[in-house]
Amino acid sequence: MTRDERTVDVLIVGAGPAGLGAGAELAASGAGRVEILERELDAGGVPRHCRHGGFGRRPRGGETGDEYARRCVAAAVRAGATLRTGVTVTGWAENAPADGAHTLEITGPAGLERITARAVVLATGARERPRSARLVPGGRPSGVYTTGELQQAVHLYRQPVGTRAVVIGNEAVGHAAADTLRTAGAEVVAMVTDQPPSPAAALLRPRGRFPLLTRATVTGLTGRTALTGVTLRHEDGRTTTLRCDTVVFTGDFVPDHELARRAGLTLDRGTRGPAYDAEYRTSLPGVFAVGNLLHAVEKARVASAEGRAAAAPVLRHLAGGPPPAPRPVALAVDAPLLWIAPNRTGPAGARPLRGRFVLRTARRLERPVLVVSQDGRELDRQRLLLPAVPGRAFHLGAGWLGRVDPRGSTVRITAV
């Protein structure tokens, strides 16, 4: 079988905000031939099908998602990056070049390709876990969506949805799903979360528009060919069935790490994305990772900023140095904290974006103190000024990095 074989300087996999940000910055910085590959027919990532505001940094609500996506695409192309859509990276070539470059297998409308790159940037993003991955029992009726599926159906393809809907999840993504349902003419019967009520949730929820059911878990879907209801189990043991023809599972994101896993990259147990340091370097030299592949899920402008920030270490790699740290130290968290990102120390002096680490928690913590320690030695402690709540990022300053023993064991972060 014939196969087109080419060489580029930087190959970026994924044309969402992170990949486009990296492509724009690298192309504008003289990185050579920069090529961005996207498996979807249109570039821009998730923002393409978000019609709500809040994207970018413009005042008065910012841009809508599709406006922001178009601006990211234009910036990358204008800078000189080659953007190709409708092509899929299927894996890594078994016989890698001896000069440290990486070769990837590509499938597209023109057939099979093999592209060798001096540096690879993975920006494959994150995806929502569907009903099946959440182990919700029941048949396979129509009317069951994730937020992304719902927004694509409504905003991109103008497809009809049902008339009575239940939203599972009370984070910002869940409210975006509720807005999309109302745009489509559906009544939101209820929003359901297994978390306790919180003041922030009350502020987010438009008053009187739909009930918020807290401390409730979905135990099943009813209906054979079409959804007829969602069964809930409440914390006190009661069960309820909400009559509806549409349900949207929101906010449970996981990194889309299949390509990273095939490369044999070390994955972080907390984020489930590639383990990486403050310079976006993975465990494989010459392979970088950016955006929500690393920490599902952050806002589009954060992913874009990370893509742009990765350009400098990629350029240093292309220039031949400096060598990677001989022994990066892993960072890990204790429950109820879920993960920290970045999750490895990098070269001396390297700090994460904006000088702070990103963390998530499994349950609400009222103004916790975050304690950083290594081998029984306390490196730092920082009190948060606001509560840490599930589904939202909070931060830890990186001033303690210089006190990490590079020969020591894992650095642990604990909330007390």
Side-chain angles (χ1 to χ4, degrees), residues 31-304:
R33 180 165 184 176
V34 178
E35 188 161 315
I36 309 172
L37 304 181
E38 170 57 50
R39 65 186 175 189
E40 299 284 342
L41 296 178
D42 296 303
V46 170
R48 288 180 303 121
H49 47 78
C50 295
R51 294 297 185 269
H52 58 82
F55 289 85
R57 290 187 174 276
R58 289 183 183 175
R60 299 181 182 180
E63 302 162 289
T64 61
D66 54 327
E67 292 171 339
Y68 179 78
R70 288 196 295 271
R71 184 160 63 84
C72 290
V73 170
V77 173
R78 187 169 57 246
T82 300
L83 174 60
R84 300 173 60 203
T85 60
V87 295
T88 301
V89 178
T90 56
W92 305 74
E94 293 183 359
N95 299 319
D99 59 358
H102 300 279
T103 302
L104 288 91
E105 308 281 359
I106 317 295
T107 299
L112 301 179
E113 297 179 66
R114 180 172 283 178
I115 300 179
T116 297
R118 297 168 59 204
V120 174
V121 179
L122 299 179
T124 50
R127 53 185 166 77
E128 284 179 295
R129 294 205 311 156
R131 164 266 185 92
S132 57
R134 303 183 194 213
L135 304 179
V136 176
R140 302 181 66 179
S142 62
V144 182
Y145 298 88
T146 62
T147 311
E149 291 170 343
L150 174 73
Q151 291 176 330
Q152 289 190 44
V154 173
H155 297 310
L156 292 187
Y157 306 120
R158 310 294 182 189
Q159 295 173 342
V161 296
T163 58
R164 288 174 55 84
V166 173
V167 176
I168 311 301
N170 184 33
E171 313 305 333
V173 177
H175 288 268
D179 289 340
T180 300
L181 288 163
R182 286 194 289 264
T183 299
E187 174 192 1
V188 179
V189 176
M191 177 173 281
V192 178
T193 175
D194 58 1
Q195 294 292 319
S198 71
L203 290 174
L204 279 173
R205 181 166 53 94
R207 288 182 180 275
R209 302 187 72 170
F210 52 80
L212 173 64
L213 306 181
T214 58
R215 293 191 174 103
T217 305
V218 179
T219 56
L221 305 182
T222 59
R224 287 183 175 272
T225 59
L227 183 72
T228 59
V230 174
T231 303
L232 308 178
R233 183 179 62 243
H234 300 271
E235 190 178 56
D236 59 7
R238 291 178 298 114
T239 59
T240 307
T241 298
L242 302 175
R243 186 172 61 82
C244 62
D245 55 17
T246 303
V247 61
V248 188
F249 289 91
T250 75
D252 188 356
F253 289 92
V254 292
D256 206 341
H257 64 203
E258 180 62 22
L259 194 59
R261 190 181 59 79
R262 289 188 182 186
L265 301 186
T266 299
L267 301 182
D268 181 72
R269 296 180 62 181
T271 64
R272 291 183 279 185
Y276 76 107
D277 64 22
E279 295 207 328
Y280 303 97
R281 300 179 308 179
T282 69
S283 58
L284 186 60
V287 177
F288 299 78
V290 295
N292 284 326
L293 167 65
L294 300 173
H295 44 55
V297 61
E298 287 289 322
K299 294 180 179 178
R301 64 171 178 266
V302 176
S304 177

